Amino acid sequence: MNVKFSFDRVVVERRGLTLEDVYRTIKNLFTTHDFPCVSDRDALAFKDKGDGDDFAIMWDIILSLLRSEWFMDCAASCVWEDENGEEDILAQAGKA
């Protein structure tokens, strides 16, 4: 399992933030639970650890982000990927 995020730099900066601020915030949420960051270039991506509770913890993090106004304003994409394929989380959250 992994989750990938990308952000609209213009919107991020319009909110008085930097892309680095956004990446640091999201990295802190995932690294607190020891989920490895597997990409921090164009997209920010995190991978599960192979533990039984990874799914629930990762979704708790994603849901908390979806509830925050700054994330919904700034996120360009949020894609969940597992053995069943990919899911566009933002489309399901009504952002599409």
Side-chain angles (χ1 to χ4, degrees):
M1 295 178 289
N2 68 60
V3 61
K4 298 175 189 171
F5 304 93
S6 66
F7 298 90
D8 184 327
R9 181 181 294 274
V10 172
V11 175
V12 168
E13 291 174 354
R14 194 176 306 139
R15 290 187 64 92
L17 304 168
T18 66
L19 206 48
E20 292 76 22
D21 293 331
V22 170
Y23 275 29
R24 184 175 30 259
T25 298
I26 293 178
K27 282 181 178 182
N28 285 340
L29 292 170
F30 281 89
T31 59
T32 296
H33 297 283
D34 298 320
F35 291 113
C37 180
V38 294
S39 174
D40 62 0
R41 300 199 191 280
D42 293 333
L44 186 58
F46 298 90
K47 183 175 175 24
D48 70 290
K49 302 175 294 189
D51 293 341
D53 58 349
D54 287 355
F55 178 86
I57 294 170
M58 289 177 88
W59 272 101
D60 280 346
I61 295 168
I62 292 166
L63 291 173
S64 71
L65 289 167
L66 292 173
R67 287 186 210 105
S68 67
E69 186 178 324
W70 72 266
F71 178 81
M72 292 302 291
D73 286 347
C74 298
S77 69
C78 177
V79 177
W80 176 267
E81 186 177 41
D82 61 19
E83 62 277 354
N84 297 319
E86 290 186 354
E87 290 184 54
D88 181 342
I89 304 303
L90 293 182
Q92 293 179 22
K95 180 163 180 167

